[in-house]
Amino acid sequence: KNEVEQSPQNLTAQEGEFITINCSYSVGISALHWLQQHPGGGIVSLFMLSSGKKKHGRLIATINIQEKHSSLHITASHPRDSAVYICAVRSYNTDKLIFGTGTRLQVFP
Amino acid sequence: NAGVMQNPRHLVRRRGQEARLRCSPMKGHSHVYWYRQLPEEGLKFMVYLQKENIIDESGMPKERFSAEFPKEGPSILRIQQVVRGDSAAYFCASSPWSGPEEQFFGPGTRLTVL
């Protein structure tokens, strides 16, 4: 079993829909990252959080430390949001990033 | 303030050749991380370096792979005698200090071994 699990693996949506991507982890962490990887392959850091909730534009990330779970929400989704979204946790013990396998999102107009 | 730079962006090598991948961290960042993304797989940690020091290389294959981050110049990931299984995207990321800080990723180098 992977230490970081994401769901769903693939997600399609119509423009304007509300999107939720989930991440569960099984190790102790000092922080959790949400990353975006576009079809061209570049990786952009969206959020780093260790508690609570963060918001940036149409993106919202939440984390529940007790339940070892995080969610990434996209409000009013747009075709340009189409990308792979990756959850990564920073292991408290090893200080290394452990990555989920990503959620491939396609938003159609 | 330029972001993390990697070059080359694409590298083609024949089996048995050497591959050198370069990463220039963001200005002011002294911590560099290398990650590998095999085709259709997730990112995996390879090595964590500070200037002139390897802090954690637990993700590096035991043979043929090495990394350095000299006092001057970019960080280098070196793969000797490449094999087809080395074909992957190699990303580096940098941060200003250690601990749970945001890491800024470079655009990656896509290595293809023929």
Side-chain angles (χ1 to χ4, degrees):
Chain A
K1 190 179 186 299
N2 292 334
E3 292 167 302
V4 181
E5 297 273 2
Q6 286 186 238
S7 64
Q9 285 190 307
N10 295 284
L11 184 55
T12 58
Q14 288 295 126
E15 184 173 355
E17 284 185 12
F18 181 81
I19 306 288
T20 296
I21 299 170
N22 295 300
C23 174
S24 296
Y25 53 91
S26 57
V27 296
I29 70 167
S30 54
L32 182 143
H33 300 250
W34 281 102
L35 310 169
Q36 181 191 56
Q37 186 171 27
H38 272 283
I43 296 173
V44 174
S45 178
L46 298 175
F47 294 104
M48 187 193 74
L49 62 168
S50 53
S51 65
K53 176 180 173 177
K54 285 190 176 180
K55 184 175 189 291
H56 181 69
R58 294 180 296 105
L59 301 177
I60 303 166
T62 64
I63 187 168
N64 184 319
I65 297 293
Q66 285 72 33
E67 294 186 6
K68 294 189 173 180
H69 181 269
S70 175
S71 293
L72 176 69
H73 305 286
I74 306 175
T75 61
S77 59
H78 190 276
R80 65 173 174 266
D81 297 326
S82 298
V84 175
Y85 292 83
I86 302 168
C87 171
V89 300
R90 188 160 191 140
S91 165
Y92 186 81
N93 288 334
T94 66
D95 217 27
K96 292 198 289 274
L97 282 184
I98 306 168
F99 296 85
T101 51
T103 294
R104 187 176 300 275
L105 170 66
Q106 286 186 295
V107 181
F108 294 99
Chain B
N1 186 10
V4 178
M5 314 259 293
Q6 287 188 251
N7 66 82
R9 295 291 303 277
H10 300 273
L11 182 61
V12 179
R13 284 288 178 266
R14 295 192 181 279
R15 280 179 298 168
Q17 291 184 319
E18 179 179 286
R20 280 186 181 239
L21 288 62
R22 294 174 192 79
C23 169
S24 296
M26 285 183 71
K27 188 177 179 180
H29 288 194
S30 58
H31 297 253
V32 166
Y33 307 81
W34 285 94
Y35 301 98
R36 177 165 69 173
Q37 188 175 40
L38 292 166
E40 304 304 318
E41 290 189 22
L43 288 151
K44 295 278 195 302
F45 167 82
M46 298 183 76
V47 62
Y48 163 34
L49 310 107
Q50 292 178 30
K51 287 279 187 184
E52 299 184 278
N53 283 308
I54 298 174
I55 306 302
D56 184 341
E57 57 181 346
S58 58
M60 290 274 270
K62 293 287 184 284
E63 296 174 351
R64 302 187 296 107
F65 284 71
S66 63
E68 61 176 6
F69 188 16
K71 188 177 179 182
E72 302 290 338
S75 175
I76 308 281
L77 179 67
R78 183 181 177 208
I79 312 172
Q80 295 179 287
Q81 299 175 319
V82 295
V83 300
R84 288 218 173 102
D86 297 332
S87 295
Y90 292 83
F91 290 91
C92 82
S94 72
S95 67
W97 40 72
S98 62
E101 292 298 325
E102 185 175 2
Q103 295 184 14
F104 295 84
F105 284 79
T109 293
R110 274 148 192 82
L111 172 65
T112 302
V113 180
L114 301 177

